[in-house]
Short mmCIF file of all heavy atoms in Angstrom, two decimals:
data_model
loop_
_atom_site.label_atom_id
_atom_site.label_comp_id
_atom_site.label_asym_id
_atom_site.label_seq_id
_atom_site.Cartn_x
_atom_site.Cartn_y
_atom_site.Cartn_z
N MET A 1 0.85 -1.18 -0.01
CA MET A 1 0.01 0.00 0.01
C MET A 1 0.88 1.25 -0.01
O MET A 1 1.84 1.32 0.76
CB MET A 1 -0.87 -0.02 1.25
CG MET A 1 -1.77 1.17 1.36
SD MET A 1 -2.82 0.97 2.81
CE MET A 1 -2.56 2.53 3.55
N LYS A 2 0.57 2.15 -0.85
CA LYS A 2 1.33 3.40 -0.92
C LYS A 2 0.56 4.54 -0.27
O LYS A 2 -0.65 4.68 -0.49
CB LYS A 2 1.65 3.77 -2.36
CG LYS A 2 2.66 2.83 -2.98
CD LYS A 2 3.08 3.34 -4.34
CE LYS A 2 4.10 2.46 -4.95
NZ LYS A 2 4.58 2.95 -6.22
N LEU A 3 1.26 5.32 0.47
CA LEU A 3 0.69 6.51 1.05
C LEU A 3 1.26 7.76 0.41
O LEU A 3 2.49 7.82 0.21
CB LEU A 3 0.98 6.58 2.57
CG LEU A 3 0.19 5.77 3.53
CD1 LEU A 3 0.70 5.92 4.94
CD2 LEU A 3 -1.27 6.09 3.49
N SER A 4 0.43 8.73 0.16
CA SER A 4 0.98 10.00 -0.32
C SER A 4 1.52 10.75 0.90
O SER A 4 1.23 10.42 2.07
CB SER A 4 -0.12 10.82 -1.02
OG SER A 4 -1.10 11.21 -0.09
N ARG A 5 2.31 11.74 0.63
CA ARG A 5 2.86 12.55 1.73
C ARG A 5 1.73 13.24 2.51
O ARG A 5 1.77 13.35 3.73
CB ARG A 5 3.84 13.58 1.16
CG ARG A 5 4.55 14.33 2.24
CD ARG A 5 5.81 14.99 1.66
NE ARG A 5 6.54 15.75 2.64
CZ ARG A 5 7.45 15.24 3.42
NH1 ARG A 5 7.75 13.95 3.37
NH2 ARG A 5 8.12 16.00 4.30
N ARG A 6 0.71 13.66 1.79
CA ARG A 6 -0.43 14.32 2.43
C ARG A 6 -1.16 13.37 3.37
O ARG A 6 -1.53 13.70 4.52
CB ARG A 6 -1.38 14.86 1.36
CG ARG A 6 -2.56 15.60 1.96
CD ARG A 6 -3.43 16.15 0.86
NE ARG A 6 -4.55 16.83 1.45
CZ ARG A 6 -5.65 17.07 0.84
NH1 ARG A 6 -5.82 16.69 -0.43
NH2 ARG A 6 -6.63 17.72 1.44
N SER A 7 -1.41 12.14 2.92
CA SER A 7 -2.08 11.12 3.73
C SER A 7 -1.26 10.79 4.96
O SER A 7 -1.78 10.62 6.08
CB SER A 7 -2.33 9.86 2.93
OG SER A 7 -3.19 10.11 1.89
N ALA A 8 0.05 10.68 4.81
CA ALA A 8 0.94 10.40 5.92
C ALA A 8 0.93 11.53 6.94
O ALA A 8 0.89 11.28 8.15
CB ALA A 8 2.33 10.15 5.44
N THR A 9 0.85 12.76 6.45
CA THR A 9 0.80 13.89 7.38
C THR A 9 -0.53 13.91 8.11
O THR A 9 -0.54 14.21 9.34
CB THR A 9 0.97 15.19 6.57
OG1 THR A 9 2.23 15.15 5.88
CG2 THR A 9 0.93 16.41 7.46
N ILE A 10 -1.63 13.60 7.44
CA ILE A 10 -2.93 13.56 8.11
C ILE A 10 -2.92 12.47 9.19
O ILE A 10 -3.41 12.72 10.30
CB ILE A 10 -4.03 13.36 7.06
CG1 ILE A 10 -4.20 14.60 6.23
CG2 ILE A 10 -5.37 13.00 7.74
CD1 ILE A 10 -5.12 14.45 5.04
N LEU A 11 -2.40 11.30 8.89
CA LEU A 11 -2.29 10.23 9.90
C LEU A 11 -1.46 10.67 11.08
O LEU A 11 -1.78 10.41 12.25
CB LEU A 11 -1.70 8.98 9.26
CG LEU A 11 -2.59 8.16 8.39
CD1 LEU A 11 -1.81 7.01 7.77
CD2 LEU A 11 -3.78 7.62 9.17
N LEU A 12 -0.35 11.35 10.80
CA LEU A 12 0.52 11.83 11.87
C LEU A 12 -0.18 12.85 12.77
O LEU A 12 -0.10 12.74 14.00
CB LEU A 12 1.79 12.44 11.26
CG LEU A 12 2.83 12.93 12.23
CD1 LEU A 12 3.39 11.79 13.10
CD2 LEU A 12 3.97 13.62 11.49
N VAL A 13 -0.88 13.78 12.17
CA VAL A 13 -1.57 14.82 12.95
C VAL A 13 -2.69 14.15 13.79
O VAL A 13 -2.87 14.53 14.98
CB VAL A 13 -2.13 15.89 12.02
CG1 VAL A 13 -3.10 16.82 12.75
CG2 VAL A 13 -0.98 16.70 11.41
N ILE A 14 -3.45 13.29 13.20
CA ILE A 14 -4.54 12.63 13.94
C ILE A 14 -3.95 11.78 15.10
O ILE A 14 -4.50 11.79 16.20
CB ILE A 14 -5.40 11.74 13.00
CG1 ILE A 14 -6.19 12.66 12.04
CG2 ILE A 14 -6.37 10.87 13.80
CD1 ILE A 14 -6.93 11.88 10.97
N GLY A 15 -2.86 11.11 14.84
CA GLY A 15 -2.22 10.31 15.89
C GLY A 15 -1.74 11.15 17.05
O GLY A 15 -1.94 10.80 18.22
N ILE A 16 -1.12 12.31 16.73
CA ILE A 16 -0.62 13.19 17.80
C ILE A 16 -1.79 13.79 18.56
O ILE A 16 -1.76 13.88 19.79
CB ILE A 16 0.28 14.28 17.20
CG1 ILE A 16 1.58 13.65 16.69
CG2 ILE A 16 0.55 15.39 18.18
CD1 ILE A 16 2.48 14.59 15.92
N TYR A 17 -2.84 14.14 17.84
CA TYR A 17 -4.04 14.69 18.48
C TYR A 17 -4.62 13.64 19.45
O TYR A 17 -4.99 13.99 20.61
CB TYR A 17 -5.07 15.09 17.45
CG TYR A 17 -6.39 15.49 18.04
CD1 TYR A 17 -6.54 16.73 18.65
CD2 TYR A 17 -7.49 14.62 18.02
CE1 TYR A 17 -7.74 17.10 19.21
CE2 TYR A 17 -8.68 14.99 18.59
CZ TYR A 17 -8.83 16.23 19.18
OH TYR A 17 -10.02 16.59 19.75
N MET A 18 -4.70 12.41 19.00
CA MET A 18 -5.27 11.36 19.89
C MET A 18 -4.39 11.12 21.10
O MET A 18 -4.90 10.92 22.23
CB MET A 18 -5.46 10.05 19.12
CG MET A 18 -6.63 10.11 18.17
SD MET A 18 -7.03 8.49 17.52
CE MET A 18 -7.69 7.68 18.94
N LEU A 19 -3.07 11.16 20.91
CA LEU A 19 -2.15 10.97 22.07
C LEU A 19 -2.30 12.13 23.07
O LEU A 19 -2.30 11.88 24.28
CB LEU A 19 -0.71 10.91 21.58
CG LEU A 19 -0.36 9.60 20.88
CD1 LEU A 19 1.07 9.68 20.35
CD2 LEU A 19 -0.49 8.42 21.81
N LEU A 20 -2.47 13.32 22.59
CA LEU A 20 -2.64 14.45 23.49
C LEU A 20 -3.97 14.41 24.24
O LEU A 20 -4.01 14.62 25.46
CB LEU A 20 -2.55 15.78 22.73
CG LEU A 20 -1.16 16.15 22.22
CD1 LEU A 20 -1.23 17.41 21.35
CD2 LEU A 20 -0.20 16.35 23.36
N THR A 21 -5.04 14.12 23.53
CA THR A 21 -6.36 14.07 24.19
C THR A 21 -6.46 12.89 25.16
O THR A 21 -6.93 13.07 26.29
CB THR A 21 -7.51 14.01 23.19
OG1 THR A 21 -7.33 12.90 22.30
CG2 THR A 21 -7.57 15.28 22.37
N TRP A 22 -6.02 11.70 24.73
CA TRP A 22 -6.11 10.55 25.63
C TRP A 22 -5.06 10.63 26.71
O TRP A 22 -5.25 10.08 27.81
CB TRP A 22 -6.05 9.26 24.86
CG TRP A 22 -7.34 8.98 24.16
CD1 TRP A 22 -7.59 9.12 22.81
CD2 TRP A 22 -8.57 8.57 24.75
NE1 TRP A 22 -8.90 8.82 22.56
CE2 TRP A 22 -9.50 8.46 23.70
CE3 TRP A 22 -8.97 8.28 26.04
CZ2 TRP A 22 -10.84 8.07 23.93
CZ3 TRP A 22 -10.27 7.87 26.25
CH2 TRP A 22 -11.20 7.78 25.22
N GLY A 23 -3.96 11.30 26.45
CA GLY A 23 -2.93 11.47 27.49
C GLY A 23 -3.46 12.35 28.63
O GLY A 23 -3.20 12.05 29.81
N THR A 24 -4.18 13.41 28.31
CA THR A 24 -4.78 14.21 29.36
C THR A 24 -5.90 13.46 30.04
O THR A 24 -6.16 13.69 31.25
CB THR A 24 -5.30 15.55 28.81
OG1 THR A 24 -6.25 15.29 27.78
CG2 THR A 24 -4.19 16.41 28.28
N ARG A 25 -6.59 12.59 29.35
CA ARG A 25 -7.65 11.79 29.92
C ARG A 25 -7.10 10.83 31.00
O ARG A 25 -7.79 10.50 31.97
CB ARG A 25 -8.37 11.02 28.86
CG ARG A 25 -9.52 10.17 29.34
CD ARG A 25 -10.67 11.01 29.83
NE ARG A 25 -11.69 10.12 30.36
CZ ARG A 25 -12.31 10.25 31.52
NH1 ARG A 25 -12.01 11.28 32.27
NH2 ARG A 25 -13.22 9.42 31.90
N VAL A 26 -5.83 10.42 30.84
CA VAL A 26 -5.20 9.55 31.83
C VAL A 26 -5.14 10.26 33.18
O VAL A 26 -5.48 9.67 34.24
CB VAL A 26 -3.79 9.11 31.38
CG1 VAL A 26 -2.99 8.48 32.51
CG2 VAL A 26 -3.89 8.19 30.20
N PHE A 27 -4.76 11.54 33.20
CA PHE A 27 -4.66 12.28 34.42
C PHE A 27 -6.05 12.49 35.06
O PHE A 27 -6.19 12.41 36.27
CB PHE A 27 -3.96 13.63 34.18
CG PHE A 27 -2.53 13.45 33.83
CD1 PHE A 27 -2.10 13.80 32.53
CD2 PHE A 27 -1.60 12.98 34.70
CE1 PHE A 27 -0.78 13.61 32.18
CE2 PHE A 27 -0.26 12.81 34.35
CZ PHE A 27 0.14 13.13 33.08
N THR A 28 -7.04 12.74 34.25
CA THR A 28 -8.41 12.86 34.74
C THR A 28 -8.88 11.54 35.33
O THR A 28 -9.49 11.53 36.40
CB THR A 28 -9.36 13.30 33.62
OG1 THR A 28 -8.84 14.52 33.01
CG2 THR A 28 -10.76 13.54 34.12
N PHE A 29 -8.59 10.47 34.62
CA PHE A 29 -8.97 9.11 35.10
C PHE A 29 -8.32 8.84 36.44
O PHE A 29 -9.00 8.35 37.38
CB PHE A 29 -8.51 8.08 34.06
CG PHE A 29 -8.66 6.66 34.51
CD1 PHE A 29 -9.89 6.05 34.53
CD2 PHE A 29 -7.55 5.97 34.92
CE1 PHE A 29 -10.03 4.72 34.95
CE2 PHE A 29 -7.65 4.65 35.35
CZ PHE A 29 -8.91 4.03 35.36
N LEU A 30 -7.05 9.13 36.58
CA LEU A 30 -6.36 8.84 37.84
C LEU A 30 -6.86 9.69 38.99
O LEU A 30 -7.01 9.19 40.13
CB LEU A 30 -4.84 9.05 37.67
CG LEU A 30 -4.13 8.03 36.77
CD1 LEU A 30 -2.68 8.42 36.56
CD2 LEU A 30 -4.27 6.63 37.32
N SER A 31 -7.15 10.96 38.75
CA SER A 31 -7.66 11.80 39.82
C SER A 31 -9.06 11.37 40.25
O SER A 31 -9.39 11.38 41.41
CB SER A 31 -7.65 13.27 39.40
OG SER A 31 -8.60 13.52 38.38
N GLN A 32 -9.91 10.98 39.27
CA GLN A 32 -11.23 10.50 39.63
C GLN A 32 -11.17 9.18 40.36
O GLN A 32 -12.00 8.91 41.25
CB GLN A 32 -12.12 10.39 38.38
CG GLN A 32 -12.57 11.71 37.81
CD GLN A 32 -13.41 11.51 36.54
OE1 GLN A 32 -13.50 10.44 36.01
NE2 GLN A 32 -14.05 12.61 36.12
N LEU A 33 -10.22 8.33 39.96
CA LEU A 33 -10.08 7.04 40.63
C LEU A 33 -9.62 7.23 42.09
O LEU A 33 -10.10 6.56 42.99
CB LEU A 33 -9.06 6.19 39.84
CG LEU A 33 -8.91 4.73 40.27
CD1 LEU A 33 -10.21 3.99 40.07
CD2 LEU A 33 -7.77 4.07 39.49
N ARG A 34 -8.70 8.15 42.28
CA ARG A 34 -8.20 8.47 43.65
C ARG A 34 -9.33 9.03 44.53
O ARG A 34 -9.43 8.71 45.71
CB ARG A 34 -7.07 9.47 43.61
CG ARG A 34 -5.76 8.87 43.98
CD ARG A 34 -4.61 9.88 44.00
NE ARG A 34 -4.04 9.96 42.67
CZ ARG A 34 -3.96 11.08 41.95
NH1 ARG A 34 -4.36 12.21 42.42
NH2 ARG A 34 -3.42 11.03 40.74
N ASP A 35 -10.18 9.91 43.93
CA ASP A 35 -11.28 10.53 44.68
C ASP A 35 -12.44 9.59 44.90
O ASP A 35 -13.29 9.85 45.74
CB ASP A 35 -11.75 11.79 44.00
CG ASP A 35 -10.72 12.87 43.91
OD1 ASP A 35 -9.75 12.81 44.72
OD2 ASP A 35 -10.83 13.77 43.04
N GLY A 36 -12.50 8.52 44.16
CA GLY A 36 -13.61 7.60 44.28
C GLY A 36 -14.85 8.01 43.56
O GLY A 36 -15.95 7.51 43.85
N THR A 37 -14.75 8.97 42.64
CA THR A 37 -15.93 9.45 41.91
C THR A 37 -16.08 8.87 40.51
O THR A 37 -16.97 9.27 39.78
CB THR A 37 -15.85 10.97 41.79
OG1 THR A 37 -14.67 11.34 41.10
CG2 THR A 37 -15.86 11.64 43.15
N LEU A 38 -15.23 7.92 40.14
CA LEU A 38 -15.24 7.37 38.83
C LEU A 38 -16.29 6.25 38.75
O LEU A 38 -16.31 5.34 39.54
CB LEU A 38 -13.86 6.79 38.46
CG LEU A 38 -13.69 6.27 37.04
CD1 LEU A 38 -13.84 7.42 36.05
CD2 LEU A 38 -12.33 5.64 36.89
N VAL A 39 -17.19 6.37 37.78
CA VAL A 39 -18.22 5.34 37.57
C VAL A 39 -17.66 4.35 36.53
O VAL A 39 -17.10 4.73 35.51
CB VAL A 39 -19.51 5.96 37.04
CG1 VAL A 39 -20.55 4.90 36.76
CG2 VAL A 39 -20.02 7.00 37.98
N ALA A 40 -17.74 3.07 36.80
CA ALA A 40 -17.29 1.99 35.91
C ALA A 40 -15.79 2.16 35.52
O ALA A 40 -15.49 2.42 34.36
CB ALA A 40 -18.15 1.88 34.69
N PRO A 41 -14.89 2.05 36.50
CA PRO A 41 -13.48 2.26 36.19
C PRO A 41 -12.88 1.32 35.17
O PRO A 41 -12.01 1.69 34.38
CB PRO A 41 -12.77 2.09 37.54
CG PRO A 41 -13.75 1.55 38.49
CD PRO A 41 -15.11 1.74 37.89
N ALA A 42 -13.37 0.08 35.09
CA ALA A 42 -12.82 -0.88 34.11
C ALA A 42 -13.15 -0.42 32.68
O ALA A 42 -12.31 -0.54 31.79
CB ALA A 42 -13.38 -2.26 34.37
N ILE A 43 -14.30 0.10 32.47
CA ILE A 43 -14.69 0.59 31.14
C ILE A 43 -13.85 1.79 30.76
O ILE A 43 -13.35 1.89 29.64
CB ILE A 43 -16.20 0.90 31.06
CG1 ILE A 43 -16.97 -0.43 31.22
CG2 ILE A 43 -16.57 1.58 29.76
CD1 ILE A 43 -18.46 -0.20 31.37
N HIS A 44 -13.71 2.76 31.67
CA HIS A 44 -12.93 3.95 31.38
C HIS A 44 -11.46 3.59 31.14
O HIS A 44 -10.82 4.15 30.27
CB HIS A 44 -13.05 4.98 32.50
CG HIS A 44 -14.36 5.69 32.48
ND1 HIS A 44 -15.36 5.35 33.32
CD2 HIS A 44 -14.80 6.70 31.70
CE1 HIS A 44 -16.40 6.15 33.06
NE2 HIS A 44 -16.07 6.96 32.10
N PHE A 45 -10.92 2.68 31.93
CA PHE A 45 -9.54 2.26 31.75
C PHE A 45 -9.34 1.62 30.40
O PHE A 45 -8.35 1.91 29.69
CB PHE A 45 -9.13 1.29 32.85
CG PHE A 45 -7.71 0.82 32.78
CD1 PHE A 45 -6.67 1.70 33.02
CD2 PHE A 45 -7.40 -0.47 32.40
CE1 PHE A 45 -5.36 1.31 32.95
CE2 PHE A 45 -6.12 -0.89 32.32
CZ PHE A 45 -5.07 0.00 32.60
N SER A 46 -10.26 0.76 29.98
CA SER A 46 -10.13 0.12 28.66
C SER A 46 -10.23 1.15 27.53
O SER A 46 -9.53 1.05 26.51
CB SER A 46 -11.15 -0.99 28.48
OG SER A 46 -12.46 -0.48 28.53
N LEU A 47 -11.08 2.15 27.68
CA LEU A 47 -11.23 3.20 26.65
C LEU A 47 -9.90 4.01 26.55
O LEU A 47 -9.47 4.34 25.44
CB LEU A 47 -12.36 4.13 26.97
CG LEU A 47 -13.77 3.59 26.74
CD1 LEU A 47 -14.80 4.57 27.24
CD2 LEU A 47 -14.00 3.26 25.28
N VAL A 48 -9.30 4.30 27.67
CA VAL A 48 -8.03 5.03 27.67
C VAL A 48 -6.94 4.22 26.97
O VAL A 48 -6.23 4.73 26.10
CB VAL A 48 -7.62 5.41 29.10
CG1 VAL A 48 -6.18 5.89 29.14
CG2 VAL A 48 -8.54 6.48 29.67
N ILE A 49 -6.83 2.96 27.28
CA ILE A 49 -5.84 2.07 26.70
C ILE A 49 -6.05 1.95 25.20
O ILE A 49 -5.08 2.04 24.41
CB ILE A 49 -5.81 0.71 27.41
CG1 ILE A 49 -5.41 0.81 28.84
CG2 ILE A 49 -4.89 -0.26 26.66
CD1 ILE A 49 -4.04 1.45 29.07
N ILE A 50 -7.27 1.71 24.79
CA ILE A 50 -7.58 1.58 23.35
C ILE A 50 -7.30 2.87 22.60
O ILE A 50 -6.70 2.87 21.53
CB ILE A 50 -9.04 1.12 23.15
CG1 ILE A 50 -9.21 -0.32 23.63
CG2 ILE A 50 -9.45 1.25 21.68
CD1 ILE A 50 -10.65 -0.76 23.73
N GLY A 51 -7.69 4.02 23.19
CA GLY A 51 -7.43 5.31 22.56
C GLY A 51 -5.95 5.59 22.40
O GLY A 51 -5.49 6.09 21.39
N LEU A 52 -5.17 5.27 23.45
CA LEU A 52 -3.73 5.49 23.34
C LEU A 52 -3.10 4.55 22.34
O LEU A 52 -2.18 4.93 21.61
CB LEU A 52 -3.08 5.30 24.71
CG LEU A 52 -3.29 6.43 25.73
CD1 LEU A 52 -2.77 6.02 27.11
CD2 LEU A 52 -2.66 7.70 25.26
N ALA A 53 -3.56 3.30 22.29
CA ALA A 53 -2.99 2.35 21.32
C ALA A 53 -3.27 2.81 19.87
O ALA A 53 -2.38 2.74 19.03
CB ALA A 53 -3.58 0.97 21.55
N ILE A 54 -4.47 3.28 19.61
CA ILE A 54 -4.80 3.77 18.27
C ILE A 54 -3.96 5.00 17.96
O ILE A 54 -3.45 5.14 16.82
CB ILE A 54 -6.30 4.09 18.16
CG1 ILE A 54 -7.11 2.77 18.21
CG2 ILE A 54 -6.60 4.83 16.84
CD1 ILE A 54 -8.60 2.97 18.31
N GLY A 55 -3.79 5.91 18.91
CA GLY A 55 -2.97 7.07 18.70
C GLY A 55 -1.51 6.72 18.40
O GLY A 55 -0.89 7.31 17.51
N ILE A 56 -0.97 5.77 19.13
CA ILE A 56 0.42 5.32 18.89
C ILE A 56 0.55 4.73 17.50
O ILE A 56 1.48 5.00 16.76
CB ILE A 56 0.88 4.36 19.99
CG1 ILE A 56 1.04 5.09 21.32
CG2 ILE A 56 2.15 3.63 19.60
CD1 ILE A 56 1.23 4.17 22.50
N TYR A 57 -0.42 3.88 17.11
CA TYR A 57 -0.36 3.24 15.81
C TYR A 57 -0.48 4.22 14.68
O TYR A 57 0.27 4.15 13.69
CB TYR A 57 -1.48 2.16 15.72
CG TYR A 57 -1.41 1.36 14.48
CD1 TYR A 57 -0.34 0.51 14.21
CD2 TYR A 57 -2.41 1.45 13.50
CE1 TYR A 57 -0.27 -0.24 13.04
CE2 TYR A 57 -2.33 0.74 12.33
CZ TYR A 57 -1.29 -0.13 12.12
OH TYR A 57 -1.20 -0.84 10.93
N LEU A 58 -1.41 5.19 14.78
CA LEU A 58 -1.54 6.19 13.71
C LEU A 58 -0.33 7.07 13.61
O LEU A 58 0.11 7.42 12.52
CB LEU A 58 -2.79 7.06 13.97
CG LEU A 58 -4.13 6.35 13.75
CD1 LEU A 58 -5.26 7.30 14.11
CD2 LEU A 58 -4.29 5.86 12.35
N THR A 59 0.28 7.43 14.77
CA THR A 59 1.51 8.21 14.74
C THR A 59 2.63 7.43 14.09
O THR A 59 3.38 7.96 13.26
CB THR A 59 1.90 8.62 16.17
OG1 THR A 59 0.80 9.30 16.78
CG2 THR A 59 3.10 9.52 16.16
N HIS A 60 2.72 6.14 14.40
CA HIS A 60 3.73 5.30 13.79
C HIS A 60 3.54 5.22 12.28
O HIS A 60 4.52 5.36 11.52
CB HIS A 60 3.67 3.89 14.39
CG HIS A 60 4.50 2.87 13.70
ND1 HIS A 60 5.87 2.85 13.78
CD2 HIS A 60 4.15 1.84 12.90
CE1 HIS A 60 6.33 1.87 13.06
NE2 HIS A 60 5.32 1.23 12.50
N LEU A 61 2.31 5.01 11.84
CA LEU A 61 2.05 4.97 10.38
C LEU A 61 2.39 6.29 9.70
O LEU A 61 2.93 6.32 8.59
CB LEU A 61 0.59 4.61 10.11
CG LEU A 61 0.16 3.16 10.35
CD1 LEU A 61 -1.33 3.03 10.06
CD2 LEU A 61 0.97 2.23 9.46
N GLY A 62 2.06 7.40 10.36
CA GLY A 62 2.33 8.71 9.80
C GLY A 62 3.82 8.96 9.64
O GLY A 62 4.28 9.46 8.64
N ILE A 63 4.57 8.63 10.68
CA ILE A 63 6.04 8.81 10.63
C ILE A 63 6.65 7.92 9.56
O ILE A 63 7.48 8.31 8.78
CB ILE A 63 6.65 8.53 12.02
CG1 ILE A 63 6.26 9.67 12.99
CG2 ILE A 63 8.17 8.43 11.93
CD1 ILE A 63 6.62 9.39 14.41
N LYS A 64 6.22 6.65 9.57
CA LYS A 64 6.74 5.70 8.58
C LYS A 64 6.40 6.12 7.15
O LYS A 64 7.23 6.06 6.25
CB LYS A 64 6.13 4.33 8.86
CG LYS A 64 6.81 3.19 8.13
CD LYS A 64 6.25 1.87 8.65
CE LYS A 64 6.85 0.75 7.89
NZ LYS A 64 6.32 -0.56 8.35
N GLY A 65 5.19 6.63 6.93
CA GLY A 65 4.79 7.10 5.61
C GLY A 65 5.55 8.34 5.17
O GLY A 65 5.93 8.46 4.01
N ARG A 66 5.77 9.25 6.11
CA ARG A 66 6.53 10.46 5.75
C ARG A 66 7.99 10.13 5.44
O ARG A 66 8.57 10.76 4.55
CB ARG A 66 6.42 11.48 6.83
CG ARG A 66 5.08 12.20 6.85
CD ARG A 66 4.96 13.32 7.80
NE ARG A 66 6.02 14.31 7.65
CZ ARG A 66 5.94 15.41 6.89
NH1 ARG A 66 4.87 15.61 6.16
NH2 ARG A 66 6.90 16.29 6.87
N ARG A 67 8.56 9.18 6.16
CA ARG A 67 9.93 8.79 5.86
C ARG A 67 10.04 8.11 4.48
O ARG A 67 11.00 8.31 3.77
CB ARG A 67 10.44 7.84 6.90
CG ARG A 67 10.83 8.51 8.17
CD ARG A 67 11.45 7.52 9.12
NE ARG A 67 11.75 8.17 10.43
CZ ARG A 67 11.90 7.52 11.52
NH1 ARG A 67 11.82 6.20 11.57
NH2 ARG A 67 12.15 8.17 12.65
N ALA A 68 9.04 7.34 4.13
CA ALA A 68 9.06 6.63 2.88
C ALA A 68 8.89 7.58 1.68
O ALA A 68 9.45 7.37 0.64
CB ALA A 68 7.97 5.57 2.81
N THR A 69 8.10 8.65 1.87
CA THR A 69 7.90 9.58 0.76
C THR A 69 9.07 10.53 0.60
O THR A 69 9.19 11.16 -0.45
CB THR A 69 6.63 10.42 0.96
OG1 THR A 69 6.67 11.12 2.19
CG2 THR A 69 5.39 9.54 0.94
N ARG A 70 9.92 10.65 1.61
CA ARG A 70 11.06 11.52 1.53
C ARG A 70 12.14 10.96 0.59
O ARG A 70 12.87 11.70 -0.04
CB ARG A 70 11.67 11.69 2.93
CG ARG A 70 12.66 12.82 2.97
CD ARG A 70 13.23 13.07 4.37
NE ARG A 70 12.46 12.49 5.44
CZ ARG A 70 13.02 12.13 6.60
NH1 ARG A 70 14.27 12.31 6.81
NH2 ARG A 70 12.27 11.61 7.54
N GLN A 71 12.18 9.67 0.44
CA GLN A 71 13.25 9.04 -0.35
C GLN A 71 13.01 9.12 -1.80
O GLN A 71 12.11 9.12 -2.47
CB GLN A 71 13.42 7.60 0.06
CG GLN A 71 13.88 7.49 1.50
CD GLN A 71 13.88 6.05 1.98
OE1 GLN A 71 13.42 5.15 1.30
NE2 GLN A 71 14.42 5.86 3.18
#
């Protein structure tokens, strides 16, 4: 599969955005867990992990695609 430079940049930006948003959600999750105000902690924890994994994967694809189009 070939990615254009534009597609790789879009994947990179979306990946970074997801890492930033879910990264801040980790701190919110931890503070709510400490305070005991978190409803369904297992569900929220799984959402955070899935969101971070998708963000890491998209960032990886974006970086890999931009490196490949540079050559």
